[in-house]
Amino acid sequence: MRDKEFPFRSYQHTGRSDQEIRERSGNFYESMKRRRSIRQFSDRPIPKEILETLIMTAASAPSGANKQPWFFAIVRNPDLKRKIRIAAEEEERAFYSDRAPQSWIEDLEPLGTDWHKPYLEIAPALIVVFKQIQDISGSEPRKNYYVTESVGIACGFLFAAIQQAGLVALPHTPSPMNFLSELLHRPSNEKPILLVPVGHPAEDAQVPVLSKKPFEDIAQFF
């Protein structure tokens, strides 16, 4: 016997013609195709309710057994953003100088990235995504399922929501990221997986000219 039963209801679906579906999917693709990772941010603030909507969109993602094994820390405090920048740059400096294999450094070189991360202070908000290995909301810890997959989907929802809102972001992954747990006082059942500066682009923001692989290289009908 399960501890609880979920009620069920009829799925409310708006039927659409193939033409409508084609147009909607095409419009969404064109919007997402314009998404870029931005490293030059404006300090223009983002209203709190917009950030809340972005997070709730991410949290609408599917998850294993509906465990929703994620936590989003939204950092706007300037002093805390500075502490995060200092700690992240310390890890990134070690990465670029000692930890990264030469092949990785060579792959990053055309992008012009290095250990300096000023955008962690300039961007008006940092969203730190944590995955929850266990559910500790009850009387004893319970296992969460497909945690990496579930949180990965939620992160995809988050970036799509940011793009649709007309904002920009960057998936930043300093390694290791344990300093985020310490600075944000998160419990031991959570592990940080992504640090996302979000905001408006700086007026002089630039992005590299990149191309995506064609359909034939990434997919096949069977």
Side-chain angles (χ1 to χ4, degrees):
M1 176 79 64
R2 289 180 292 180
D3 292 338
K4 61 181 178 179
E5 297 283 344
F6 290 114
F8 282 75
R9 60 172 174 80
S10 297
Y11 174 56
Q12 302 299 315
H13 176 62
T14 302
R16 301 185 186 279
S17 68
D18 286 351
Q19 181 58 30
E20 289 178 302
I21 295 171
R22 187 177 295 110
E23 290 177 358
R24 289 167 64 89
S25 63
N27 290 339
F28 186 74
Y29 168 59
E30 290 300 323
S31 174
M32 294 306 297
K33 191 168 62 172
R34 292 191 293 271
R35 190 216 63 82
R36 299 301 302 271
S37 294
I38 297 295
R39 291 176 171 83
Q40 294 92 32
F41 285 83
S42 163
D43 62 359
R44 175 182 165 187
I46 304 172
K48 182 180 178 181
E49 63 269 21
I50 293 177
L51 291 167
E52 290 178 354
T53 301
L54 295 176
I55 296 304
M56 292 309 296
T57 302
S60 72
S63 61
N66 195 40
K67 287 287 193 172
Q68 304 168 59
W70 43 61
F71 181 85
F72 303 88
I74 308 161
V75 182
R76 298 189 297 168
N77 180 281
D79 292 336
L80 188 50
K81 287 196 296 179
R82 177 161 181 76
K83 290 178 181 179
I84 289 175
R85 176 189 176 180
I86 291 171
E89 287 186 333
E90 182 178 343
E91 298 294 353
E92 292 286 86
R93 188 186 298 110
F95 170 82
Y96 277 91
S97 61
D98 299 315
R99 296 176 185 160
Q102 185 59 32
S103 59
W104 196 337
I105 296 298
E106 291 172 357
D107 286 338
L108 289 174
E109 187 173 2
L111 298 174
T113 60
D114 59 25
W115 62 268
H116 296 89
K117 310 297 175 186
Y119 48 78
L120 294 177
E121 280 191 89
I122 298 171
L126 307 177
I127 299 175
V128 185
V129 185
F130 291 84
K131 64 179 182 180
Q132 296 177 333
I133 308 302
Q134 289 182 315
D135 178 1
I136 60 172
S137 62
S139 58
E140 60 182 47
R142 292 178 65 91
K143 180 181 179 181
N144 284 331
Y145 309 101
Y146 301 105
V147 173
T148 299
E149 295 86 348
S150 299
V151 179
I153 296 171
C155 289
F157 276 38
L158 175 62
F159 278 94
I162 290 169
Q163 174 68 10
Q164 292 304 298
L167 298 169
V168 297
L170 171 72
H172 182 43
T173 53
S175 180
M177 286 192 265
N178 296 334
F179 66 89
L180 291 168
S181 297
E182 297 170 4
L183 288 173
L184 297 171
H185 307 291
R186 299 310 304 161
S188 60
N189 70 311
E190 294 182 359
K191 302 297 180 185
I193 67 165
L194 198 60
L195 172 56
V196 185
V198 58
H200 297 273
E203 290 187 3
D204 59 350
Q206 293 188 332
V207 293
V209 179
L210 302 174
S211 62
K212 297 296 185 179
K213 295 179 180 179
F215 179 88
E216 294 76 14
D217 288 353
I218 63 168
Q220 181 179 356
F221 287 102
F222 289 91

